Amino acid sequence: MSDHHGTVLLRGGTVYSPADPFATAMIVQDGTVAWIGSEGAADGFADGVDRVVHLEGALVTPAFTDAHVHTTAAGLALTGLDLAGAVSLADALVRVAEYVAAHPGGGVVLGHGWDAARWPENRPPSRAELDAVSGGRPLYLTRVDVHSAVVTTALLDRVPGVASLPGFDPAGPLTRDAHHAVRRAAQAAVGPGQRRDAQRAALRRAASLGIGTVHECAGPDISSEDDLTGLLRLAAEEPGPRVFGYWAEAVRPGGEEVLQRVRDLGAVGAAGDLFVDGSLGSHTACLRTPYADAGTTGVLHLDAGQVADHVAACTEAGLQAGFHAIGDAALDTVVAGVRAAAERVGLARIRAARHRVEHAEMLDADAVAAFADLGLTASVQPAFDAAWGGEEGMYAARLGKERARALNPFAALLRAGVPLALGSDAPVTPLDPWGTVRAAAFHRTAEHRVSVRAAFTAHTRGGWRALGRDEAGVLVPGAPADYALWNTAGELVVQTPDDRIANWSTDPRSGTPGLPDLSPDTELPRCVRTVVGGRTVFASTDE
């Protein structure tokens, strides 16, 4: 199975396919699905193939697509200072001190994942505290949402003029322009070898989880041109997940140089984290009314006119446009801007371009209807709700319980016909595709839940549709042979976790293919093998 040439018959398992809900066998030929069917029919093919793989009851599904990843940052979190597990401010400072002691030298120390909202002290480390434990080293530690960071004085000294930038705080976290400036300085200290190692680590982790494709969300305020081109080159040179890159740079009137830069970088669109606002955790998502726990409505980085200019230019250039928008005011801005672009270039062309919006958390009914009308794809992260939703979660603290309950309305989006693509935003939340599907199906707010099947489709085929590719992300004859083999703990089921969810039938006689039981506290499926284009990119050592 490591050779993507020739013909391979997989048999003796369960193949998840709309082509045959009872399929147990599949033939792959030269990197493409050639046939799917029953065990009896497979007997007639066995002598004419190059290899037969006995599945021994394993489940075969399309490989997952993670529609929002920051690959280098995710790899650095895997290989560097990870503060996601810190249970208190004191614990975080100890972890910083221990990491610095274990990694001597003068280079910049990078870390990620602190979340003061979970700590009993309920505050981030101060600059003075970090200076004391870092031994004078430049230190850059991103909050879990990556929209703010705490740093040491030694890193600030590398960024002349940072104190005059919006978002600068003399003692606490940096946001907005000040954060972007120190992030560029920190990332500049990452050499090509370290960057490549981090990218390789992230892609290997993705492959081990059955992820066959990732959408890299790059941009001038997030990473660098070298980071994106290096990642695309690595993905082309080494077996692993497919990588499609987005470059988040706004196109202004007469901005042909930006459009050409997007093409030259090998990106598929000027989209991804093109910031209209920030994040809820950092109080920078842009709201109609102030935060419940702060006297601010957040930050708006682009206005409706700038959104319209960008969308119109990208549409006319044949490129996808897209934005990062979380708060309700930011989403109002996106909708108004895309509508204005549609008046310029035509609604049909806007719809055909499949422009996308990342996160799209505070959508009301009017915004959902607008997304459907404009053909916008919602690239969403269900793990956000699992991490920060609920009556006692960070969302409720930031917004109050009533507004928090309205976040991430996945069911309403699907009912309206809005295309969904699921992702992790790694390293904000970990690469974890089955956990992501579970989070969508068991949303903390019951009316926003969707069926496991709908969530699975959004995390496989949905990511390909977001790229404008309707033929991939599903196991049917003619589709790319991107698939994963799974060991599952129990029977396959057709699962709708809430009886208010519209359900065609859970009766096996309906011909609806089953998926693993993802009920809370059940064991998630374990990936045995991941195949991309017919080539194995991950194989479990105990397969």
Side-chain angles (χ1 to χ4, degrees):
M1 291 177 63
S2 61
D3 188 351
H4 66 300
H5 299 293
T7 304
V8 178
L9 169 63
L10 297 88
R11 63 183 305 179
T14 299
V15 180
Y16 184 85
S17 171
D20 183 347
F22 306 108
T24 63
M26 178 172 74
I27 291 178
V28 172
Q29 186 171 29
D30 296 333
T32 301
V33 177
W35 172 86
I36 288 175
S38 67
E39 198 64 24
D43 289 335
F45 295 110
D47 292 336
V49 300
D50 298 307
R51 183 174 303 175
V52 176
V53 175
H54 296 282
L55 296 170
E56 298 180 351
L59 170 66
V60 184
T61 72
F64 285 101
T65 294
D66 192 313
H68 193 121
V69 176
H70 303 285
T71 307
T72 301
L76 290 171
L78 289 170
T79 59
L81 173 55
D82 183 4
L83 295 178
V87 297
S88 67
L89 170 59
D91 182 28
L93 292 172
V94 168
R95 292 177 184 230
V96 171
E98 290 177 345
Y99 186 89
V100 169
H103 299 81
V108 175
V109 177
L110 304 174
H112 169 73
W114 61 268
D115 186 357
R118 297 179 183 272
W119 295 344
E121 299 92 343
N122 198 31
R123 70 170 180 84
S126 69
R127 188 152 306 131
E129 288 170 328
L130 291 177
D131 285 345
V133 298
S134 64
R137 295 272 293 278
L139 178 68
Y140 172 76
L141 302 178
T142 47
R143 189 186 181 277
V144 64
D145 60 6
V146 199
H147 282 268
S148 58
V150 289
V151 303
T152 57
T153 303
L155 182 59
L156 288 180
D157 289 343
R158 298 189 177 199
V159 189
V162 65
S164 65
L165 295 177
F168 179 80
D169 187 305
L174 306 180
T175 61
R176 302 175 63 188
D177 294 354
H179 177 220
H180 296 162
V182 297
R183 174 160 53 192
R184 283 191 289 269
Q187 290 175 343
V190 178
Q194 183 184 5
R195 182 170 60 230
R196 192 174 180 89
D197 287 346
Q199 292 170 345
R200 186 178 288 116
L203 293 179
R204 287 177 176 172
R205 173 64 65 88
S208 74
L209 297 169
I211 297 170
T213 300
V214 301
H215 297 182
E216 165 67 15
C217 292
D221 290 329
I222 305 159
S223 51
S224 68
E225 294 181 18
D226 288 345
D227 185 85
L228 176 59
T229 56
L231 173 63
L232 296 177
R233 186 164 54 250
L234 176 68
E237 293 171 351
E238 298 183 4
R242 304 177 192 265
V243 177
F244 294 91
Y246 286 94
W247 183 251
E249 185 171 359
V251 182
R252 313 294 186 187
E256 177 59 37
E257 75 282 357
V258 176
L259 295 169
Q260 189 58 49
R261 179 156 48 249
V262 172
R263 299 186 188 99
D264 291 344
L265 290 172
V268 295
D273 275 334
L274 179 50
F275 297 120
V276 177
D277 68 346
S279 74
L280 293 167
S282 291
H283 293 104
T284 52
C286 192
L287 311 183
R288 296 171 184 161
T289 57
Y291 285 84
D293 62 347
T296 178
T297 56
V299 181
L300 192 68
H301 296 291
L302 298 175
D303 61 29
Q306 292 168 318
V307 169
D309 289 340
H310 181 75
V311 172
C314 289
T315 303
E316 291 179 328
L319 289 172
Q320 265 189 311
F323 305 93
H324 161 120
I326 287 178
D328 47 10
L331 289 160
D332 290 344
T333 299
V334 169
V335 167
V338 178
R339 285 205 184 282
E343 292 175 1
R344 297 186 203 174
V345 303
L347 180 58
R349 293 180 69 188
I350 293 292
R351 289 172 172 168
R354 304 190 191 190
H355 302 309
R356 52 190 285 172
V357 181
E358 309 301 315
H359 316 309
E361 293 198 77
M362 291 186 72
L363 290 165
D364 61 13
D366 289 342
V368 170
F371 269 48
D373 182 47
L374 297 167
L376 297 174
T377 294
S379 172
V380 297
Q381 294 75 40
F384 287 8
D385 175 74
W388 301 307
E391 296 287 302
E392 306 301 324
M394 181 271 288
Y395 289 155
R398 292 289 186 270
L399 303 173
K401 293 180 180 180
E402 183 177 349
R403 280 193 293 178
R405 278 193 292 269
L407 290 180
N408 300 301
F410 304 140
L413 288 163
L414 285 180
R415 283 195 301 268
V418 176
L420 289 187
L422 303 192
S424 64
D425 199 7
V428 175
T429 60
L431 299 165
D432 180 15
W434 284 113
T436 296
V437 173
R438 172 187 277 170
F442 293 91
H443 196 296
R444 290 178 180 271
T445 305
E447 58 262 37
H448 300 329
R449 294 172 179 169
V450 299
S451 70
V452 168
R453 184 188 188 201
F456 180 81
T457 299
H459 211 353
T460 50
R461 198 170 193 180
W464 281 99
R465 285 173 167 165
L467 293 165
R469 297 274 300 275
D470 292 338
E471 82 286 0
V474 60
L475 298 181
V476 295
D482 292 10
Y483 59 91
L485 276 55
W486 306 94
N487 279 343
T488 59
E491 295 294 321
L492 302 181
V493 297
V494 178
Q495 190 168 30
T496 54
D498 191 295
D499 59 13
R500 289 171 290 183
I501 294 174
N503 183 25
W504 49 95
S505 177
T506 57
D507 189 322
R509 293 171 294 180
S510 70
T512 302
L515 285 166
D517 181 359
L518 299 184
S519 299
D521 300 324
T522 59
E523 181 182 351
L524 292 175
R526 182 178 62 82
C527 186
V528 177
R529 186 176 290 264
T530 304
V531 176
V532 175
R535 174 179 293 173
T536 295
V537 299
F538 167 78
S540 172
T541 56
D542 58 353
E543 181 181 352

